Amino acid sequence: MFHPLDQLLFLRSNRSLSQFGSLPAGLVVQSTSTYDINTLSQKFETGPTFDTLFLFSIAPALLGCCVLLSRALRHLQYRPRWLSPFVREQKEGHNFPIGNSAMPRYSYLVVTFLALSCLGLISQVLAVFVPVPNLTPLPRALTWVGDSLGGFEVVLAAVLALLVLCMPLRDPTLPSDEISPAFEKPQHLLRSPEDNLTLWQWMSVSWMSPLIAIGYTRQLHDEDVWSLSYEFQHRILHHNFRELRGSVVKRLLAANGLDLAILSFLGIVEAFSNFAGPVLLQQLLRAMEDVSAPRSKAITFAVLSLLVRLIACQSSVFSLWFSRRCYERSRGEMITMLYEKTLNRKLIGETALLGKSDVSADEQNGGASETNGNPDASIFKLKISWVLGRQIGHVLGRRIWRGASRRKVEQPASIGKIYNLMRNDVYEVAQRFWEFQSLVRVPLSLVLSIVLVWKLIGWPCLFGVVTVVVAQSVNVLITRILLQYERERRKVTDGKLKKITQYVAAIRHLRWYGWQDFWQEQVMQARQKELKFMVITGFWRALINFANYLASGLFPVAAFYAYTALAGEPLRIDIAFPALQLFGMLENSLRDVPNLITTLLNAKIAVGRIEDFMKEPNKDDAMSGSDPRGKPQAKLQEASFAWPGTLLEVLSNVSLEFPVGLTVICGKVAAGKTALLQALLGELEGRGGNVTLPSDVVGYCAQTPWLQSMSIRDNILFMSPYEEGRYRKVLEACALTQDLATFKHGDLTNIGENGVGLSGGQRARVALARAIYSQAKMLFLDDPLSALDHQTAEFIVQKCFCGPLTEGRTVVLVTHRTALCQNVAKQVVEVLDGQARVLDKSLLPSSETPSSLVADLADQDKEEQQNDKEEDEVAEKFIEDEKRAHGGVKAAVYWEYVKAGKLRWWAVLIFLLALHRLVGLGETWFLKRWGEAYDKPVERRVSSGFFDDLPSPEVNIRPWLVGFFLLAVVKGALFLAANCVMIVVIYHAGRQMFGDVMNRVSHATFRFYDVTPVGRLMNRMTSDIGTVDGNISQQFEDVAFLAISWMRLQMVSLSPLMSNFGALLDGLTTVRAFRAQSSFQDQNITVTDAFQKMDHFYWSLQAWLMYRFDALSACSTFLLTLLALYTGISPGLTAFVLVAASGFVLSTHALCKRYGQLQMDFVSVERIVELLHLEQEPPGSVDPPAWWPSYSGDIVFEDVTIRYAPHLDPSLTGISFRIPAGSTTALLGRTVKPESGRILIDNIDISQVNTQALRNRVTFLAQDPILFPGSMRQNLDPLDEHTNHECDTVLQRVGSSYNWTLDTNIEDGGKNLSQGQRQLVGLARAILRRSSIVILDEATASIDTETAASIQRILRDELKESTVITIAHRLEAVEGADFFIRLEGGKVVESGLREG
């Protein structure tokens, strides 16, 4: 009689192992129990064997040894950086833990447990290798005591295991006040419970239960989610990461090396666990076929299968946690790295690099090795070498990688490219760290599958290996082609993002001119080009997948052909179905191989783009200093400067000193005034001379005010501490007190994105107040007076520049209104053609008293206050919280995507997938019938089912081989067809949804642009559209229902991250001048933390779900096996059921894992669908005649009431007046569509007119004209409605002194032109259009007096027949007006001819 453990004995001579060979270590076991003299003597003769209990008892001892080893490594003077945790929580006082912490002190209890574990290990080893005395002659009493003690050992081991599981993972001496206790209600102010868990809580992810309970009952909000745990917080990660040196990849590997090592080990564990399944299945089937074997033998293998699956279950949870930590850290590290680089990089214009030749990466590096030690390159070449052999693979790998490494010298990164780097390239690189385990698991799985197949069927498997080699050889060639198209696709995507960025930023101006349809068409062309490359790369990827899929299907065909036809072996059940499982695993490994190759190549491209960006030069802060008395100084001696990246000097031989007091800088448009301030800020490149720049904070006010989407007070403070007295003085000096009094919430009013809730004059004064409030000793003010009326400007000069707030400070003021401030200036500097000279103040003309129109202009300030009161109430709603739907993604959202992908293609896809699944089941059933056919009679059988008409394989094997071959080919063909149809679905859905969104956004109400930040709109039109372009269709196939709600929180939290980058790029010079880089980096870290925490806890939920599903599926498969054993069904049917059940479990598991990605993807679709329901501007019902409006038509207001939003009070009430045709009218205020009354132009009510026709025929010129990248010709006449001669004539009249031609290059936003030059280009547009009605809103505010007077003469000459309505502050802008209208309190108080 045998002990139950003796049923695990399988000697190598046993028939059950004769065909399979030796099992992996730990699976073939032999009991050390002794029950008779013969058994004991036989054990001594056969040598030492391993007991199953040994495998369990060795684990704690090995764990203890690992602990001792890890502590011993701490004493080494040198060890690799990656062996230490990148972030380790320290006790209070250590903010940024870098390096090793002090050695912990162990208690006597810990040392005792460790000693006992080591003693147990030694005893187990001795028990195996040293013969023990025969205990059989001993009295039965002693044997009973021994058996009792054995049971006690099991109980004691279980108790100790429970104690270990309940032990905390964190040092109990560390403070835990900021950590949320496990299983308590989550609080967003506390860190995640992950920082203080027991081993079991971490293993089972049970700490997520409180969050899941809240999400089950209601929608989750940000306040319901914990803060990130300590080792995930980006403030610490960024500080540690920036201390590392080397390339981006090298730094990422150093920061995450420990996680990668752990993931490699877990990958090995999972690989061996997965491949233990077919081995145990074979032993189970053989036990069932052996009628003489007891049932308990098969049950033993079922139990072992359960244990192996539970180990794999726990390992997968660990893998997900460490891979997510690696992914989140690397992504956060790169985002903060890119943001910091953006803060410090040199602002190089796009035209700076024009004409440079393309240089490959090798040539730049002096012909160095193409990989330069890059681990990604080594991995890539390793994969190629593994497939094709060492020598051939090395050569091909080098050639392919060299092609991937050749990169053109890129132009400086645009806003669109930086968005793309942050959103796509960072994700591409971080994703590889998440999937790093596959670099170990996939090759190992492939090797194990081939080895086990060899053990199973022997040399015939080589025939199958040939199919793999051929497929990978084909894939190498396809990959080279794919790489070229992928690189082009990314460039096209950059171009599309750039177009979208420009379009979104300029949408107001485009609609004012009626140009939105033309620009929309340009965006759609860029989009179509992107879709074209997306389809091309998709088809090449489909070919790669098809080659591997077909190879994996032909592998068993070729192997079984050699096994049966050549070797003459029968393909029985215990061979076919384990082989089928191994072939399935081999198929999965082969599917992963091309994905590994292509994703590594994509990551290589993404890393190269990030590296290119990181290599852009930084701003040089070397030329700074202060005088011996400690005061900052700015001094130029024979200094010359050029814009970064250009050779042409913009300032030459400038010698200036800036004393304490006011220095006024004047000059004509584009003389170099702004360039002089930029040079003093260190933004220009020095070309010679001695330069001393301020090293402390500089109060800088840009020509175009840059404000943040926050309250007026926060904009003025700009991270400075609040001082009540000083703050009030600044408000008074900047003439803001009266404005704030009209606001409902005063200085706490939110002003919207870039101050959209304020007038132009108010934005200028808030930016000026920010500079004045700062503690800077030097103030650089770039024309803040241009947007102010005469009275306000005069007030600011007296109260601000001559008051105590600027006493003892150096103020450098650029202005065209020198008459206002020349009497109070210490010196006046004139800049002319890049030269600067100090003027003699005595020779300057004296300031003049305002003319008769000053009273009218002064009243404009009151009118602005009234209007701004209304605007403020709008401003309260400007940055509305981004909407989030409640509950699951609605069926209507799925239906919108299905419709966009075309129903006929979805039907074809579903049919192909169903047919593919049916053929797969038929293939499994075919193998079952093939294996069972060996047990049937040789003569022809009566047909009773599928494949019964085939002859016995013992008689004729050919029909079975042909049938199996045809099934494999059909499966491969269906797989390729489904992939191609999926690409078509993605193409149609992406094109349709993007086109609909562009159309809706292009014709939305203007209020939508007021309340929607550019960053939020960009996020939806780039990130969300990118999700639609992804393989969302494949996720759509695996729809599963499970309620979760924080996916929307993650997508909503991404919008501030996008806005953060846009706001930074727009105001980078201001941020640098105030030395606020660190504060903005802190803001970015806060936003990144908020975004990452949603992603982190979402995947923690996935781990919670995966752990429970895997454990339940393992138990259900075990019960199914027991049911098959006790019901007595045939081994063939048992194998079929188990394989089918395993496939079902794996499919369901994959479905649950993909559900999260599906939900995330369709949240993006949901947000796109929201844009499809935007409120649209009424298009108008009247198509005016072609001659309308005529030059003789008056403009008539009849009892017009206007409000900015339905819930606001009217801003204009019951106004009536007439503007004569052909007059030049001075108008104070803004206009919108009337709520009541009529506005008639040439006797037609404009509220009924087609809005596109109205804007095409009426020209509106804003104060800040928007210019687009391209030629001057394209900016003057984007629609190509005029001849080159007409465009050139207008250009020469307006800009003859600037040597402009129609081919002059214009950068994005006109950055290579001054503000005055941009206004001149805008005026040239208006003159070229020669509309019968022209509205000029401060169109000459940034132009010097002399040039402005010349422009007025040109306007009178060119637009003498047009009705010109001028909104202006400066006298010279309206001195030629022959009609005026004065508004006050929303009503017309006076109007008529100027002489009257």
Side-chain angles (χ1 to χ4, degrees), residues 176 448 495 680 743 836 874 990 1243:
S176 58
L448 285 177
L680 294 174
F743 292 165
V874 181
N1243 298 320

Side-chain angles (χ1 to χ4, degrees), residues 34 53 204 234 518 526 576 586 588 658 719 724 796 933 1183 1211 1229 1234:
T34 56
L53 291 179
S204 61
H234 293 86
F518 172 76
L586 178 60
N588 292 331
F658 300 91
M719 277 83 74
E724 177 71 23
I796 287 178
D1183 291 326
S1211 56

